[in-house]
Amino acid sequence: MILELDCGNSLIKWRVLHATQILANGAVHQPEQLFEALNEVPHLSLRAARMVCVRTDEECRELVNQIAARYAVQTQCARAEASCGQVRNGYIDCERLGIDRWVAILGAYQQAKGACLIFDLGTALTADFIANDGEHLGGFICPGMPLMRNQLRGHTGRIRYKDSAAANVLYELSPGRSTVEAVERGCALMLQGFAQKQLELAQRYWGDDFQTFLTGGDAALLAPVLPQAQVRQDLMFIGLAIACPLP
């Protein structure tokens, strides 16, 4: 069995594989919750683990150490490299490219086998452009829904509402008739406008000869303006297998 981890700023997504079959999966906020979930996997017997982690170095090391102590396996951690297979890192300093973006790029190019545009909607929203020959042309980063929402609530005295209220109003984009509607829908429209500009840029590069991928917790927000896009919540895991192959 193989343990795969996608450790983002907010969530730790995990799955356990046997060969190519997914035996169990889920998402938690903290490592303690991860181990509680793994304790529920029947007959868990790990032979390997691999991880993409954007948390602090200390948090990543602690998680690797806990996995080693509990399951006696060493965890491979993905790293941004100058190249991997046909894909070439477009950053001037390749190690400065976020490892989550690098892994998503690897996964998307493996699926597209050609030019592609990748949107990852998490704490931040990122867009990355991959040419037909695997050259990473670079990308863009802007605040995602969690950051925009929290900035408005944290720096505006009268904007106060709970995340649970936001979930009920987000996917209808008529003008808001309450503060929660106005904020959530305004932020969603900003993200959609950002995405449309990236799409226009991709079309200038490649016409219609490219594929678009959406991943991350808020991927559904862009579906209305990117109807041709593929929503692939497994994109990180596809890329992780490429970045950290097992013997």
Side-chain angles (χ1 to χ4, degrees), residues 23 25 33 47 55 58 65 97 102 122 136 193 202 206-207 218:
L23 299 181
N25 63 356
Q33 297 168 318
R47 70 173 183 87
R55 299 191 175 195
E58 182 180 353
N65 291 339
L97 177 65
W102 177 241
H136 174 225
W206 307 305
D218 286 324

Side-chain angles (χ1 to χ4, degrees), residues 106-151:
L106 295 177
Y109 190 76
Q110 194 274 343
Q111 294 296 296
K113 297 178 172 57
C116 52
L117 171 61
I118 308 146
F119 293 99
D120 185 356
L121 290 92
T123 303
L125 166 55
T126 63
D128 282 286
F129 295 73
I130 316 302
N132 192 59
D133 63 356
E135 181 75 22
H136 174 225
L137 304 181
F140 298 91
I141 304 172
C142 76
M145 282 297 296
L147 282 178
M148 287 196 288
R149 178 187 294 130
N150 291 337
Q151 283 294 305

